[in-house]
C-alpha cells in the first residue's frame, strides 16, 4: 500500500506498459548476474526472493489503479450532471425566492400603511365623537394619535400617496377646529375687563381693570368640577398651553401685579358669586410714596392665593424624557413664564426703595428679610416657585451691599450736581472755619487704653520735654479766602459719607471709603472740563477755582487720619489715606491760576506795545499813545485788584498783583533803556509817565474790602515788585545831570549800580546827553 502511494505520488498514475518494460530489464540484469563470476548464485537467490515479495504488491497496486480509474469516471459523470441539470434548477429556485420575498415586503408595507390609515380614520372618528361630547382631552389625544399615524405614513420613503396631502389638510382643519372650541371655552373661563386702549394708564386705569374667573362650580351642578382642567389639559396635549398661559401671564403682570407694586393706594378686592370669581381693585389715600415690601408681598400673595384656588391648581400630564408621564400644575408653568419679570419689578420698584439710606436703620431691615422669606415660601407652597428659587431673598439678604450701592448712587448724584453748579456763589473761609459735622465717635477701647497709658507715663516723667516756644494755633490753618459754596458742601458730603462708613459693616465701610476717594477723582476730571471756558475767560472764577483746589487739598491732608481708627481694620493699617491726592489738587489749582496769569500778562504786553516804544515823546501823538497805554495797564491792574479782592488769600493776592505790576514796569524800563536819543522834553514826558506808574501803581494792591486796611500792603509794594527800585532809579536818571548820575553810581557801589549794569547806564547817558568832554568824563567813571 505504501509503495503504491509512493508510486502514485511520484508519477501521478501507474502505467502498465512502463512497468512491464522495467520488469523485463530487471530480468535481463538477473541473467547477467547469473552468468557472472563470483557470488552470482547468491545474488540470484536474493533477487528471486525480493521479486516474489514485490509481485503481490504490484498486483494489488494494479487492482487499485483500476478502481481509481472507475472512480474518476464516475466523478466526471456526476460533475457533468450537476452542471447541466442541478445548477439550472437552483438558479430558477433562487429567482423565485427573491420574487416572493419582494412580494412579501410589498404586501407587509401595504398592510402597515392600511393599518395606519385605519388608525387615522378611527382616531378622527373618535375625535369627532369626543368633541361632540365636549371631552376635550380625549379629542386632543385622538388628534395626536392621528398626527402620529400621519407622520408615520409620511416617513415611508418611496411610498408616497396622494391621499396623504388630503389627510394632512383634514388634520389641520380638525386641529384648528378643536383650538377654536378650546379658545371659546377659555374665553368663558377667564374674562378680562380692561380699560379702553386709549386710556392714559396709571392709577385710574388700574382701578377699572377686572378679572372674572368662571371656574367656580355652580350650585346647580353640585360638586361637578368646572371644565377648566379639561380645557387646560387639552391645550397642553396640543402644545398650545404655553401660548395661552404666556398671554394670560402678561395680562396678569400688566393689569394686576405691576400696578399693585407701583401704586401704594391700590388694594386687591375679591368677590365670589354663584358661578364666578371676580378680582378687582379699590383705591385709598396713600400714606407714603412707596409701599413697604411687607404690604406689597401681602397683596401679591393674596392675588396668587385667589388664582391658585380657582385656576392655577390644575394638574397636567407632561411627557418626560424617559417616556414616563410626570404631573405638573398650571401654577408651575405660569411661574416659569412670569417670575423673572415679576421678581425684577419687585426688586426695582419695591425692595430698592426699602433699602435704608442711613446705617442706623440697617438693623430694622431684618423685618423685610423675614417677610421676603415668608413670601417666597408661600409661593413655593402654591407651586408657583421652584424649590431652589431665591431671587428676592438673596437680594434682601445682601442689604449691606445694596445700602452701600444706594448710598454711593445718592452721593454721586449730589456730588455731580455740586460740581456742575455755578462757581461764583462763594462763602468766606477763615482759619476758624471747620466742616459742620456731628461729633465723631470716640476711638476704640484699645486706642483709649493706649492713650491713657501714654498720659500716665508723661505725668510720671520728671523731665519736661515741652518747648517753651509754641506755634500759633493757626499755623496749619487755611488762610482767609473765598471758595465756592458748592465745594464746601462737597467736602461736608465727603465727611458725612465717611462718618456713615464708620457705622457700617466692613464690606460697606470699604466700599464707601473708596467711593469718597472716587468723588475727589471725579472732581479732578469734571470741574476743569465742565467750567473750562469760564475759567479761561473770567479771572475771578480762576481765582475761586484755585482756592477750591487748595481748600480740598488742605482737608485731604488730614481727612484719612481723622477717620483712621474708626474705619474697618482693613483700612486702619495705612490704607485709609487721601494724602496721595494732595499734589494733584494743588497742581490743578496752580495750573488754572497760572494760565489766567499768562492771559493777563499777554494783555498787559499788548497794551504796552501800543506805546510806540516810548520814543519821540516830544511828538504829541506819540505821547498820547504812551500815556493811554500806561492808563490802560493801570486800569487793568486795578480791575484785577477789585476782582480778586477778598477772594484770594492776601499773600497769594499780593504775589499775583506784584508779579503783574513788576512785569509792566520791567517792560517799560527795557523799552526806555534801549532808546538811542532822548531829548530834554522827551525825558520830562517819560518822567511824567513813570511818575504816574509810581503814584498809581501801589493803588492796585487792595486785597481787603476795608480801604484803611490796604495801606499796609500798598506800602509794601517794593517787597512784592522786584523792579520797583529799578523803576525809581530810572526816574532819577531821567531828571538828573551827569554829576548826579556819577554820584548815584558811586564807583559801582551806589544805588544806581544795584539796579542797572554799567552798559545800561552808559547807554542812557549817551541817549540823554550830547557828546561833550563832560559826558566822556562821566562815561569813563561808569565802569
Amino acid at each position: 500500500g505504501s509503495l503504491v502511494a509512493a508510486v502514485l505520488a511520484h508519477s501521478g498514475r501507474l502505467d502498465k506498459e512502463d512497468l512491464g518494460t522495467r520488469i523485463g530489464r530487471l530480468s535481463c540484469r538477473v541473467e547477467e548476474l547469473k552468468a557472472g563470476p563470483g557470488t552470482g548464485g547468491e545474488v540470484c537467490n536474493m533477487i528471486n526472493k525480493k521479486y516474489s515479495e514485490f509481485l503481490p504488491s504490484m498486483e494489488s497496486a494494479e487492482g487499485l489503479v483500476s478502481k481509481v480509474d472507475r472512480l474518476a469516471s464516475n466523478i466526471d459523470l456526476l460533475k457533468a450532471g450537476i452542471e447541466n441539470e442541478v445548477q439550472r434548477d437552483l438558479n430558477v429556485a433562487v429567482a423565485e425566492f427573491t420574487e416572493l420575498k419582494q412580494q412579501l415586503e410589498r404586501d407587509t408595507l401595504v398592510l402597515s400603511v392600511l393599518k395606519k390609515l385605519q388608525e387615522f380614520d378611527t382616531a378622527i372618528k373618535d375625535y369627532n365623537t369626543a368633541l361632540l361630547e365636549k371631552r376635550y382631552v380625549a379629542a386632543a389625544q385622538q388628534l395626536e394619535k392621528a398626527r402620529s399615524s400621519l407622520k408615520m405614513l409620511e416617513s415611508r420613503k418611496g411610498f408616497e400617496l396622494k391621499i396623504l396631502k388630503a389627510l394632512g389638510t383634514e388634520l389641520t382643519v380638525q386641529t384648528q377646529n378643536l383650538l377654536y372650541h378650546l379658545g371659546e371655552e377659555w374665553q368663558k373661563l377667564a374674562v378680562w375687563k380692561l380699560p379702553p386702549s386709549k386710556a392714559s394708564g396709571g392709577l385710574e386705569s388700574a382701578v377699572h381693570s377686572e378679572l372674572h374667573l368662571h371656574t367656580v362650580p355652580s350650585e346647580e351642578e353640585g360638586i361637578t368640577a368646572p371644565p377648566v382642567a379639561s380645557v387646560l389639559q387639552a391645550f397642553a396635549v396640543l402644545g398650545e398651553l404655553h401660548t395661552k398661559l404666556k398671554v394670560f401671564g402678561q395680562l396678569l403682570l400688566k393689569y394686576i401685579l405691576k400696578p399693585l407694586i407701583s401704586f401704594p393706594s391700590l388694594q386687591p378686592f375679591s368677590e365670589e358669586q354663584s358661578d364666578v370669581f371676580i378680582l378687582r381693585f379699590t383705591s385709598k389715600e396713600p400714606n407714603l410714596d412707596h409701599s413697604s415690601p411687607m404690604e406689597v408681598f401681602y397683596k401679591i400673595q393674596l392675588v396668587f392665593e385667589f388664582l391658585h384656588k380657582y385656576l392655577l391648581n390644575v394638574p397636567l400630564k407632561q411627557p418626560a424624557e424617559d417616556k414616563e408621564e410626570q404631573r405638573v400644575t398650571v401654577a408651575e408653568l405660569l411661574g416659569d413664564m412670569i417670575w423673572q419679570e415679576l421678581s425684577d419689578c419687585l426688586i426695582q420698584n419695591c425692595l430698592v426703595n426699602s433699602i435704608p439710606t442711613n446705617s442706623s436703620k440697617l438693623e430694622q431691615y431684618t423685618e423685610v428679610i423675614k417677610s421676603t422669606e415668608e413670601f417666597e415660601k408661600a409661593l413655593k407652597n402654591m407651586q408657583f416657585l421652584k424649590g431652589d428659587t431665591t431671587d428676592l431673598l438673596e437680594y434682601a439678604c445682601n442689604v449691606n451691599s445694596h445700602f452701600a450701592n444706594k448710598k454711593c448712587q445718592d452721593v454721586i448724584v449730589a456730588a455731580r450736581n455740586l460740581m456742575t453748579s455755578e462757581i461764583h456763589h462763594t462763602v468766606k473761609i477763615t482759619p476758624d472755619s471747620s466742616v459742620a459735622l456731628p461729633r465723631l465717635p470716640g476711638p476704640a477701647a484699645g486706642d483709649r487704653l493706649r492713650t491713657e497709658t501714654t498720659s500716665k507715663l508723661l505725668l510720671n516723667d520728671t523731665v519736661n520735654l515741652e518747648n517753651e516756644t509754641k506755634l500759633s494755633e493757626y499755623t496749619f490753618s487755611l488762610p482767609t479766602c473765598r471758595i465756592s459754596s458748592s465745594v464746601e458742601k462737597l467736602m461736608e458730603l465727603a465727611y458725612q459719607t465717611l462718618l456713615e462708613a464708620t457705622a457700617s459693616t466692613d464690606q460697606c465701610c470699604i466700599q464707601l471709603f473708596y467711593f469718597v476717594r472716587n468723588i475727589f477723582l471725579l472732581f479732578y476730571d469734571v470741574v476743569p472740563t465742565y467750567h473750562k471756558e469760564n475759567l479761561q475767560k473770567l479771572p475771578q472764577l480762576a481765582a475761586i477755582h484755585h482756592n477750591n483746589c487748595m481748600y480740598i487739598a488742605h482737608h485731604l491732608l488730614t481727612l484719612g487720619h481723622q477717620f483712621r481708627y474708626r474705619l474697618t481694620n482693613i483700612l486702619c493699617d495705612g490704607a485709609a489715606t487721601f494724602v496721595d491726592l494732595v499734589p494733584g489738587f494743588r497742581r490743578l489749582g496752580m495750573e488754572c491760576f497760572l494760565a489766567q496769569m499768562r492771559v493777563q500778562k499777554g494783555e498787559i504786553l499788548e497794551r504796552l506795545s501800543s506805546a510806540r516804544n516810548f520814543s519821540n515823546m516830544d511828538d504829541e501823538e506819540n505821547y498820547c499813545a504812551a500815556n493811554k497805554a500806561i492808563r490802560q495797564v493801570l486800569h487793568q491792574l486795578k480791575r484785577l485788584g477789585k476782582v480778586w479782592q477778598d477772594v484770594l488769600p492776601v499773600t497769594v493776592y499780593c504775589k499775583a498783583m506784584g508779579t503783574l505790576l513788576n512785569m509792566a514796569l520791567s517792560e517799560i524800563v527795557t523799552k526806555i533803556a534801549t532808546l538811542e536819543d532822548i531829548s530834554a522834553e522827551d525825558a520830562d514826558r517819560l518822567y511824567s509817565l513813570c511818575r504816574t506808574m509810581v503814584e498809581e501803581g501801589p493803588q492796585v494792591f487792595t486785597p481787603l474790602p476795608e480801604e484803611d486796611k490796604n495801606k499796609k500792603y500798598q506800602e509794601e509794594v517794593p517787597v512784592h515788585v522786584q523792579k520797583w527800585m529799578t523803576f525809581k532809579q530810572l526816574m532819577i536818571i531821567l531828571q538828573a545831570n551827569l554829576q548826579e548820575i556819577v554820584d548815584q553810581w558811586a564807583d559801582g557801589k551806589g544805588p544806581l549800580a544795584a539796579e542797572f549794569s554799567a552798559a545800561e547806564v552808559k547807554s542812557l547817558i549817551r541817549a540823554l546827553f550830547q557828546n561833550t568832554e563832560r559826558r566822556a568824563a562821566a562815561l569813563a567813571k561808569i565802569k
Side-chain angles (χ1 to χ4, degrees):
S2 59
L3 179 61
V4 173
V7 172
L8 289 175
H10 176 70
S11 60
R13 176 176 291 184
L14 190 61
D15 193 348
K16 294 181 180 179
E17 293 180 358
D18 206 21
L19 184 59
T21 305
R22 293 184 180 183
I23 293 173
R25 291 177 181 174
L26 183 59
S27 298
C28 293
R29 182 61 180 162
V30 171
E31 290 298 331
E32 291 176 359
L33 291 173
K34 287 181 179 180
T39 59
E42 294 178 2
V43 173
C44 287
N45 292 333
M46 184 182 65
I47 290 174
N48 288 333
K49 183 180 178 180
K50 294 292 182 180
Y51 180 74
S52 62
E53 292 176 357
F54 172 71
L55 189 58
S57 297
M58 185 189 70
E59 290 176 352
S60 176
E62 289 179 350
L64 288 174
V65 169
S66 62
K67 288 181 180 180
V68 170
D69 289 339
R70 289 195 300 272
L71 183 59
S73 177
N74 291 335
I75 289 175
D76 291 338
L77 292 175
L78 182 59
K79 180 179 180 182
I82 290 174
E83 290 178 353
N84 296 331
E85 298 179 3
V86 177
Q87 185 68 38
R88 184 179 63 253
D89 295 339
L90 184 60
N91 292 336
V92 173
V94 169
E96 292 178 354
F97 176 77
T98 302
E99 184 178 356
L100 291 174
K101 182 181 178 182
Q102 293 175 352
Q103 184 65 36
L104 178 62
E105 291 176 352
R106 287 195 297 270
D107 293 344
T108 303
L109 181 60
V110 171
L111 183 61
S112 65
V113 169
L114 292 175
K115 184 177 180 181
K116 291 299 178 183
L117 289 174
Q118 183 185 13
E119 291 177 358
F120 183 89
D121 182 67
T122 302
I124 293 297
K125 290 180 179 179
D126 293 343
Y127 152 77
N128 289 321
T129 302
L131 183 61
L132 291 175
E133 297 174 359
K134 293 190 176 181
R135 293 185 292 110
Y136 297 119
V137 177
Q141 291 174 343
Q142 293 303 323
L143 282 182
E144 288 303 304
K145 287 183 180 180
R147 182 174 286 104
S148 177
S149 299
L150 184 60
K151 287 182 178 179
M152 186 66 71
L153 291 173
E154 291 175 345
S155 65
R156 301 288 187 183
K157 300 298 181 182
F159 196 83
E160 290 79 8
L161 295 176
K162 295 180 179 180
I163 194 175
L164 295 183
K165 185 175 181 180
L167 294 180
T169 303
E170 178 65 17
L171 180 62
T172 301
V173 170
Q174 295 303 330
T175 301
Q176 294 302 319
N177 184 33
L178 178 58
L179 289 175
Y180 171 77
H181 284 83
L182 291 175
E184 290 291 324
E185 292 290 343
W186 175 249
Q187 290 181 0
K188 295 177 183 177
L189 293 172
V191 180
W192 289 92
K193 293 189 176 181
L194 305 174
S197 58
K198 296 182 180 180
S200 59
L203 179 61
E204 184 178 355
S205 178
V207 171
H208 293 89
S209 301
E210 295 182 5
L211 172 60
H212 293 219
L213 296 177
H214 295 268
T215 57
V216 182
S218 63
E219 297 179 358
E220 298 177 357
E221 295 176 355
I223 59 172
T224 304
V228 60
S230 175
V231 172
L232 294 177
Q233 182 66 57
F235 273 129
V237 173
L238 295 176
E240 294 292 327
L241 182 60
H242 185 276
T243 303
K244 292 296 179 182
L245 285 182
K246 185 175 182 180
V247 174
F248 179 82
Q250 292 302 315
L251 292 173
L252 186 66
L253 282 171
K254 182 177 180 180
Y255 293 103
I256 293 182
L257 299 179
K258 287 186 177 180
L260 286 176
I261 299 172
S262 302
F263 304 113
S265 63
L266 212 58
Q267 297 291 331
F269 173 74
S270 62
E271 179 182 353
E272 185 175 341
Q273 298 179 1
S274 60
D275 61 343
V276 63
F277 166 79
I278 302 174
L279 181 63
R280 57 168 63 100
F281 296 108
T282 59
S283 180
K284 65 178 183 178
E285 290 296 326
N287 297 327
L288 301 171
D289 295 335
H290 302 285
S291 298
S292 67
M294 288 73 75
E295 295 176 356
V296 173
F297 291 158
Y298 172 76
K299 292 188 286 186
I300 298 296
Q301 183 177 338
L302 195 63
V303 170
F304 277 115
E305 286 175 353
F306 294 151
L307 294 176
H308 186 266
K309 180 179 180 181
Y310 298 108
L311 178 65
L312 301 181
N313 191 23
V314 176
L316 302 173
K317 294 180 180 180
Q318 294 283 327
E321 295 180 358
D322 56 359
K323 302 301 181 182
E324 293 183 3
E325 291 185 348
Q326 59 177 355
R327 288 185 175 271
V328 298
T329 62
V330 178
E332 290 182 65
L333 298 179
L334 185 62
D336 290 339
M337 294 178 191
I338 70 172
W339 174 245
Q340 187 62 50
E341 187 173 352
L342 177 60
S343 62
D344 291 342
C345 184
L346 284 169
I347 290 173
Q348 298 299 327
N349 299 315
C350 179
L351 289 179
V352 167
N353 298 324
S354 68
I355 299 296
T357 56
N358 195 313
S359 57
S360 61
K361 298 181 181 179
L362 283 175
E363 295 180 359
Q364 304 174 6
Y365 201 75
T366 54
E367 183 180 358
V368 176
I369 297 176
K370 183 178 179 181
S371 176
T372 305
E373 185 177 6
E374 292 176 352
F375 176 67
E376 285 191 345
K377 184 178 180 181
L379 294 186
K380 290 175 182 178
N381 291 336
M382 288 184 283
Q383 297 182 322
F384 182 79
L385 286 185
K386 295 180 180 179
D388 57 347
T389 304
T390 57
D391 297 352
L392 293 180
L393 186 59
E394 288 178 0
Y395 184 90
C397 290
N398 201 18
V399 61
N400 289 316
S401 176
H402 299 317
F403 163 74
N405 292 335
K406 185 175 183 179
K407 187 71 178 179
C408 292
Q409 184 177 0
D410 294 342
V411 170
I412 198 64
V413 171
R416 192 181 186 282
N417 291 336
L418 291 173
M419 294 176 195
T420 55
S421 61
E422 295 296 336
I423 298 178
H424 63 268
H425 297 300
T426 61
V427 293
K428 194 168 186 177
I429 298 297
T430 64
D432 296 325
S433 301
S434 60
V435 178
L437 280 178
R439 186 180 181 86
L440 291 175
D447 298 326
R448 183 168 58 251
L449 180 61
R450 183 168 60 251
T451 303
E452 292 174 356
T453 304
T454 305
S455 301
K456 290 179 180 179
L457 290 174
L458 290 176
L459 289 174
N460 296 333
D461 197 346
T462 58
V463 180
N464 185 11
L465 299 178
E466 185 178 0
N467 194 341
E468 295 181 358
T469 303
K470 294 184 179 180
L471 294 174
S472 169
E473 59 178 329
Y474 301 124
T475 300
F476 298 104
S477 298
L478 194 70
T480 302
C481 63
R482 284 194 171 273
I483 64 170
S484 301
S485 58
S486 59
V487 171
E488 184 184 40
K489 293 176 182 177
L490 183 68
M491 187 55 64
E492 291 178 0
L493 183 65
Y495 272 93
Q496 291 286 357
T497 307
L498 287 176
L499 188 62
E500 195 77 47
T502 60
S504 304
T505 60
D506 288 355
Q507 178 186 357
C508 183
C509 178
I510 295 172
Q511 189 172 350
L512 289 176
F513 171 79
Y514 282 104
F515 183 75
V516 173
R517 282 182 58 92
N518 290 336
I519 290 177
F520 294 116
L521 294 175
L522 186 66
F523 181 95
Y524 192 91
D525 293 330
V526 169
V527 173
T529 304
Y530 186 83
H531 301 282
K532 181 178 180 180
E533 186 175 353
N534 288 334
L535 293 177
Q536 291 175 348
K537 291 182 178 179
L538 305 175
Q540 185 185 41
L541 295 190
I544 295 173
H545 178 66
H546 166 270
N547 295 345
N548 291 341
C549 294
M550 295 305 168
Y551 175 80
I552 293 175
H554 175 75
H555 280 276
L556 292 181
L557 283 170
T558 58
L559 184 59
H561 180 74
Q562 293 178 60
F563 291 91
R564 178 179 179 185
Y565 296 109
R566 297 175 179 88
L567 299 172
T568 177
N569 293 333
I570 302 174
L571 296 173
C572 284
D573 299 332
T577 182
F578 296 87
V579 176
D580 57 309
L581 303 179
V582 172
F585 272 91
R586 288 177 174 172
R587 183 171 57 253
L588 181 66
M590 288 300 299
E591 288 177 352
C592 176
F593 190 69
L594 290 176
Q596 185 59 229
M597 288 287 289
R598 286 191 291 271
V599 172
Q600 298 301 324
K601 287 181 180 180
E603 293 181 0
I604 290 175
L605 292 176
E606 184 179 356
R607 288 182 169 89
L608 289 177
S609 66
S610 64
R612 302 184 181 182
N613 294 325
F614 295 94
S615 61
N616 300 327
M617 288 293 100
D618 53 351
D619 186 344
E620 191 65 28
E621 186 177 350
N622 288 348
Y623 175 74
C624 290
N627 186 49
K628 181 180 179 181
I630 293 294
R631 291 294 178 184
Q632 286 179 340
V633 169
L634 289 172
H635 176 73
Q636 177 184 343
L637 292 175
K638 289 178 181 179
R639 180 175 58 84
L640 275 177
K642 291 296 182 182
V643 167
W644 288 343
Q645 185 183 74
D646 200 34
V647 174
L648 287 171
V650 173
T651 54
V652 178
Y653 177 95
C654 293
K655 186 175 181 180
M657 295 302 299
T659 300
L660 293 176
L661 181 57
N662 182 74
M663 191 271 301
L665 297 180
S666 178
E667 183 70 12
I668 295 172
V669 170
T670 302
K671 288 183 179 296
I672 293 176
T674 56
L675 294 175
E676 295 180 356
D677 185 19
I678 303 175
S679 65
E681 186 177 355
D682 290 346
D684 291 339
R685 290 193 168 186
L686 286 173
Y687 179 82
S688 175
L689 293 176
C690 292
R691 185 178 59 192
T692 302
M693 289 295 294
V694 170
E695 291 176 354
E696 299 185 20
Q699 297 177 12
V700 303
F701 287 84
T702 55
L704 301 177
E706 299 85 357
E707 290 297 332
D708 55 336
K709 294 183 180 181
N710 290 326
K711 293 181 180 180
K712 171 186 176 182
Y713 305 104
Q714 294 172 358
E715 293 171 355
E716 296 176 351
V717 169
V719 177
H720 307 294
V721 182
Q722 184 180 2
K723 292 290 184 179
W724 185 257
M725 297 307 297
T726 304
F727 195 75
K728 280 196 168 185
Q729 286 296 321
L730 176 63
M731 293 176 61
I732 293 175
I733 293 175
L734 291 174
Q735 292 293 301
N737 55 37
L738 283 172
Q739 186 59 43
E740 290 174 343
I741 295 175
V742 171
D743 293 341
Q744 286 288 324
W745 181 258
D747 295 329
K749 297 178 182 179
L752 183 59
E755 306 299 334
F756 288 97
S757 66
E760 290 173 335
V761 175
K762 288 180 179 181
S763 177
L764 285 171
I765 292 174
R766 291 189 183 100
L768 288 167
F769 300 96
Q770 294 181 354
N771 189 6
T772 63
E773 292 181 359
R774 292 183 60 195
R775 191 185 80 170
L779 290 175
K781 294 180 181 180
I782 306 299
K783 53 183 178 180

